[in-house]
């Protein structure tokens, strides 16, 4: 790829601006994220495939979209400082144009002249010719400093925690939440790890594929997780993925599923209480079949239940999993039914910021006031669903204390029919190379 980015067009008439396909696709994807609450990791690939971007342009557009989303709050402060005005005084679409320009200048190896020209052309073509002067002026002011220079300017007068939040591109409240559960010497490393794109991992469907098959097809065996293999490129190049015998899943998610399956428990069917989008359900379904039983996968949202069905579609026969759309807080099954229950509850998702770059700017502490009561109700429901001697796995993709240990402690304090088994597990990107998954195992007395 040239340093000017993919297929840059220059010398165009100001009123007949043409923008290269990669930058235009990145802009449209960013608008879907910022204006319509889309998710970059879902919107981007679908849009880039629809636009038929080649590998070079798709790679450029992906970095432009994800990098902009990851640094969004930082770039917003830089744009305000460079423009001398608040973002609220600007049209939302031109703000997104400026954010993409900031990332090209401060986060990518795009030469200044190319980044400025491309930003002006994008403003004219996508927003309106009347915005090009503003886009040119602010983008040139952004180019007056590199990213370190801007961080130095913006850090003036901040306390140490605010400076760390700015330098690592996180809201202050997330920095505080991680500081509450990590040793001080690990805090910056944990925050920095959230800015690194994870390597794609595949999970086999037990009984239908093996990790050795994936390795033989070009994947790399995971050193710690026997069901996992690491891949580069598009996962669809693997026959096992195309046939539903393997799927994309973070090794941390695989570890908590394997831990639930391996611990001693009574006999009986298994339940995945909040199964969407289906990665854990697919892994648990095969593990259940290996033990001569079957899995019920329940998901509140019907469209997510469809995704679960797609994830487990390759299983057939007497022990094939059953997928239903049901509310886990108002169970569609009798109490004391299941031998093993997975309760991977809705959460802030702070443990998956590597793969959901916009989430750190979208979530707020107020979200916890809604999520925490729901998490408690779901854990209570999961315990009720377990038969005596059964195991409940409480899981969140978050390290936040209110969503993890405090939920488990509160439920245990109110019940005398359940006990903790062993120490809780908290995984971390900077320690384990996984999402920051939390797991507590409980046994129904």
């Amino acid at each position: 790829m040239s340093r000017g980015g993919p297929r840059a067009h220059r010398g165009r008439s100001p009123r007949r601006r043409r923008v290269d396909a990669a930058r235009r696709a990145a802009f449209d994807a960013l608008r879907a994220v910022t204006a319509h609450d889309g998710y970059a990791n879902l919107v981007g690939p679908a849009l880039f495939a629809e636009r038929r971007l080649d590998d070079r342009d798709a790679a450029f557009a992906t970095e432009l979209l994800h990098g902009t989303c990851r640094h969004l709050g930082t770039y917003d402060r830089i744009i305000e400082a460079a423009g001398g005005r608040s973002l609220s005084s600007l049209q939302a679409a031109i703000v997104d144009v400026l954010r993409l320009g900031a990332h090209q200048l401060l986060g990518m190896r795009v030469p200044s002249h190319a980044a400025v020209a491309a930003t002006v052309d994008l403003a004219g073509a996508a927003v309106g010719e009347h915005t090009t002067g503003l886009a040119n002026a602010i983008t040139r002011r952004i180019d007056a400093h590199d990213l370190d220079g801007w961080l130095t300017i913006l850090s003036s007068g901040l306390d140490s925690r605010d400076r760390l939040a700015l330098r690592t591109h996180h809201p202050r409240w997330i920095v505080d939440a991680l500081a509450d559960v990590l040793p001080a010497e690990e805090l910056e490393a944990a925050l920095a790890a959230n800015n690194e794109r994870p390597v794609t991992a595949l999970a086999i469907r037990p009984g239908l594929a093996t990790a050795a098959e994936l390795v033989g097809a070009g994947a790399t065996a995971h050193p710690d997780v026997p069901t996992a293999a690491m891949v580069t490129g598009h996962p669809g190049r693997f026959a096992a993925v195309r046939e539903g015998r393997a799927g994309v899943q973070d090794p941390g998610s695989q570890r908590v599923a394997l831990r639930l399956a391996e611990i001693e428990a009574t006999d009986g069917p298994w339940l995945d209480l909040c199964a969407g989008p289906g990665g854990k359900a697919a892994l648990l379904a095969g593990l259940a079949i290996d033990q001569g039983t079957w899995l019920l996968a329940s998901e509140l949202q019907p469209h997510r239940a469809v995704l679960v069905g797609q994830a487990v579609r390759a299983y057939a026969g007497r022990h094939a999993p059953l997928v239903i759309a049901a509310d886990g807080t108002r169970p569609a099954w009798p109490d004391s039914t299941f031998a093993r229950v997975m309760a991977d509850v809705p959460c802030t998702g702070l443990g998956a910021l590597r793969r959901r770059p916009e989430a750190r700017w979208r979530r707020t502490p107020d979200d916890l006031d809604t999520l925490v009561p729901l998490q408690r109700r779901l854990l209570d429901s999961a315990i009720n669903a377990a038969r005596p001697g059964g195991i409940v796995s409480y899981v969140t993709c978050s390290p936040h204390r209110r969503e993890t240990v405090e939920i488990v402690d509160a439920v245990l304090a109110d019940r005398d029919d359940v006990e903790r088994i062993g120490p809780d597990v908290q995984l971390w990107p900077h320690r384990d190379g996984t999402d920051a998954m939390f797991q507590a195992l409980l046994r129904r007395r």
Side-chain angles (χ1 to χ4, degrees):
M1 184 190 304
S2 70
R3 285 175 58 84
R7 300 188 181 91
H9 296 277
R10 299 181 179 87
R12 301 286 184 184
S13 167
R15 297 190 180 278
R16 298 183 59 194
R17 298 181 187 275
R18 295 183 61 187
V19 180
D20 64 80
R23 286 184 173 92
R24 182 57 195 246
F27 169 78
D28 291 338
L30 183 59
R31 291 299 296 144
V33 171
T34 60
H36 304 291
D37 292 333
Y39 296 94
N41 65 325
L42 301 179
V43 170
L47 183 61
F48 303 158
E50 178 187 316
R51 301 284 174 88
R52 299 176 183 244
L53 298 186
D54 61 27
D55 290 345
R56 183 188 69 167
D57 282 2
F60 184 91
T62 298
E63 170 53 30
L64 186 52
L65 171 63
H66 283 246
T68 300
C69 288
R70 192 176 299 118
H71 296 77
L72 199 71
T74 303
Y75 290 157
D76 285 354
R77 294 185 63 180
I78 292 171
I79 291 167
E80 288 187 330
R85 65 182 75 189
S86 68
L87 292 190
S88 61
S89 69
L90 299 173
Q91 188 176 347
I94 197 63
V95 171
D96 281 341
V97 170
L98 293 170
R99 288 163 169 164
L100 294 170
H103 189 58
Q104 291 172 72
L105 287 168
L106 306 177
M108 299 176 71
R109 296 181 61 203
V110 178
S112 295
H113 68 276
V116 173
T119 300
V120 172
D121 283 343
L122 179 60
V127 187
E129 196 65 28
H130 65 284
T131 66
T132 56
L134 176 71
N136 181 64
I138 294 180
T139 307
R140 288 184 181 279
R141 290 179 196 140
I142 292 172
D143 191 38
H145 308 282
D146 62 12
L147 182 57
D148 287 340
W150 276 113
L151 294 179
T152 298
I153 293 169
L154 295 173
S155 294
S156 177
L158 300 182
D159 66 25
S160 59
R161 192 70 64 78
D162 277 334
R163 288 197 300 272
L164 179 60
L166 179 66
R167 188 169 67 251
T168 60
H169 317 295
H170 288 76
R172 168 67 183 259
W173 76 273
I174 293 180
V175 176
D176 289 340
L178 268 59
D180 190 40
V181 294
L182 275 171
E185 64 271 17
E186 290 189 42
L187 179 58
E188 186 162 0
L191 293 165
N194 287 338
N195 296 327
E196 299 294 329
R197 293 189 65 189
V199 178
T200 301
L202 299 181
I204 62 167
R205 309 309 190 213
L208 303 178
T210 64
E213 175 190 347
L214 298 177
V215 171
T220 301
H222 193 281
D224 303 313
V225 183
T227 54
M230 314 307 289
V231 301
T232 57
H234 196 285
R237 67 188 178 90
F238 292 87
V241 173
R242 296 193 301 272
E243 296 162 3
R245 298 183 296 109
V248 176
Q249 187 178 27
D250 182 76
S253 293
Q254 297 182 55
R255 285 177 64 169
V256 298
L258 291 169
R259 187 168 178 241
L260 171 61
E262 291 165 355
I263 194 166
E264 183 179 352
T266 189
D267 294 332
W270 299 7
L271 170 67
D272 190 346
L273 186 69
C274 309
K280 291 185 188 67
L283 184 53
L284 289 169
L287 297 170
I289 292 171
D290 284 348
Q291 296 191 27
T293 188
W294 61 281
L295 174 78
L296 173 65
S298 175
E299 168 54 44
L300 174 63
Q301 301 293 338
H303 72 280
R304 286 171 61 87
V306 170
L307 297 178
V308 179
Q310 293 172 349
V312 302
R313 69 186 185 277
Y315 289 110
R318 185 165 63 93
H319 291 310
L322 175 64
V323 180
I324 64 172
D327 184 348
T329 65
R330 297 189 296 170
W333 47 83
D335 286 351
S336 304
T337 296
F338 299 98
R340 302 176 197 267
V341 180
M342 171 64 75
D344 183 4
V345 300
C347 67
T348 56
L350 300 186
L353 297 182
R354 301 180 305 161
R355 61 188 78 253
R356 295 176 186 165
E358 73 289 324
R360 70 188 70 186
W361 310 113
R362 185 174 291 172
R363 287 294 192 183
T364 72
D366 292 342
D367 293 327
L368 291 163
D369 295 334
T370 300
L371 287 166
V372 165
L374 174 61
Q375 291 161 350
R376 284 197 58 172
R377 292 198 302 272
L378 287 167
L379 179 52
D380 268 319
S381 179
I383 295 169
N384 292 338
R387 57 182 53 178
I391 303 297
V392 174
S393 171
Y394 175 77
V395 170
T396 70
C397 190
S398 170
H400 199 294
R401 187 182 297 277
R402 287 185 64 189
E403 300 185 273
T404 57
V405 292
E406 290 186 6
I407 293 288
V408 179
D409 290 345
V411 170
L412 289 176
D414 286 344
R415 304 186 65 132
D416 61 3
D417 62 341
V418 65
E419 60 186 352
R420 232 187 198 108
I421 307 172
D424 299 339
V425 169
Q426 177 66 68
L427 303 175
W428 291 97
H430 70 289
R431 290 181 187 171
D432 307 292
T434 70
D435 289 347
M437 304 294 296
F438 171 86
Q439 182 181 39
L441 290 178
L442 311 174
R443 189 187 302 276
R444 183 89 183 268
R445 291 194 180 109

